[in-house]
């Protein structure tokens, strides 16, 4: 996912070319940090994998390595949540390309009292924390989807 911003509970892999002791898999803490050899606890919440690559490259360059080649990849995205009028509300693993319609299907489909009103709370967009959605709306990791109840 281009431009993806890391957050708590993402599982990432950091690898350094020809340096197996510096290659790790780590899950971001609730504070958005990971513990990395030589650099200690680093805060990466809200950063893209590319920004983390540069941060670690800069930290290792000079004192530890001459020209480190760092790669950061997301192995597992944080979960999204779906509730309200779906058959199996709960937390589900995020998959790239996920839409509200697919999320509803993974949650067992719409409940008997489901309305067409669907709301998403986006943790990664404080400017627009609540979004009216339809089945084609993209879902982001960490989103909270609510399928409202029909009153007739």
């Amino acid at each position: 996912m281009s431009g993806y911003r890391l957050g708590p509970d993402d599982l990432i892999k950091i690898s350094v070319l020809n340096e197996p002791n510096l290659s790790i898999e780590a899950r971001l803490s609730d504070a958005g940090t990971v513990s990395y050899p030589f650099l200690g606890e680093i805060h990466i919440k809200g950063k893209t994998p590319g920004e983390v690559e540069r941060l670690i490259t800069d930290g290792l360059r000079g004192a530890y390595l001459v020209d480190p080649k760092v790669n950061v990849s997301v192995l597992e995205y944080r979960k999204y949540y779906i509730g309200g009028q779906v058959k199996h509300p709960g937390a589900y693993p995020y998959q790239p390309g996920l839409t509200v319609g697919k999320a509803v299907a993974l949650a067992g489909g719409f409940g008997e009292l489901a309305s067409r009103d669907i709301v998403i709370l986006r943790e990664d967009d404080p400017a627009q924390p609540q979004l009216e959605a339809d089945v084609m709306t993209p879902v982001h990791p960490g989103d909270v989807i609510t399928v409202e109840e029909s009153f007739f």
Side-chain angles (χ1 to χ4, degrees):
M1 278 178 51
S2 174
Y4 178 68
R5 302 237 171 238
L6 298 167
D9 211 30
D10 283 336
L11 178 65
I12 62 170
K13 181 176 184 174
I14 302 170
S15 51
V16 180
L17 186 66
N18 297 324
E19 297 292 336
N21 293 337
L22 295 177
S23 296
I24 66 165
E25 289 184 10
R27 191 170 298 278
L28 272 69
S29 70
D30 289 341
T33 63
V34 295
S35 181
Y36 190 75
F38 299 114
L39 303 181
E41 205 69 22
I42 55 174
H43 187 270
I44 59 175
K45 177 183 177 183
K47 295 185 182 338
T48 66
E51 290 170 337
V52 175
E53 287 174 3
R54 288 187 289 284
L55 177 72
I56 293 172
T57 298
D58 292 345
L60 294 175
R61 182 179 288 124
Y64 302 105
L65 300 171
V66 175
D67 187 22
K69 304 289 187 219
V70 178
N71 182 53
V72 175
S73 56
V74 179
L75 298 178
E76 187 179 295
Y77 297 94
R78 61 191 173 276
K79 295 178 180 178
Y80 69 93
Y81 304 86
I82 186 164
Q85 288 299 312
V86 293
K87 292 183 180 171
H88 305 289
Y92 291 87
Y94 175 80
Q95 305 160 11
L98 189 68
T99 63
V100 168
K102 291 176 186 176
V104 168
L106 290 169
F110 289 108
E112 291 180 20
L113 300 177
S115 76
R116 294 185 184 264
D117 296 328
I118 302 169
V119 176
I120 297 178
L121 294 175
R122 293 251 154 104
E123 74 173 19
D124 63 352
D125 187 1
Q128 186 179 3
Q130 187 167 323
L131 172 71
E132 291 184 18
D134 61 31
V135 294
M136 296 307 295
T137 302
V139 174
H140 300 173
D143 280 357
V144 177
I145 305 164
T146 303
V147 177
E148 302 290 341
E149 183 176 335
S150 176
F151 292 107
F152 57 91

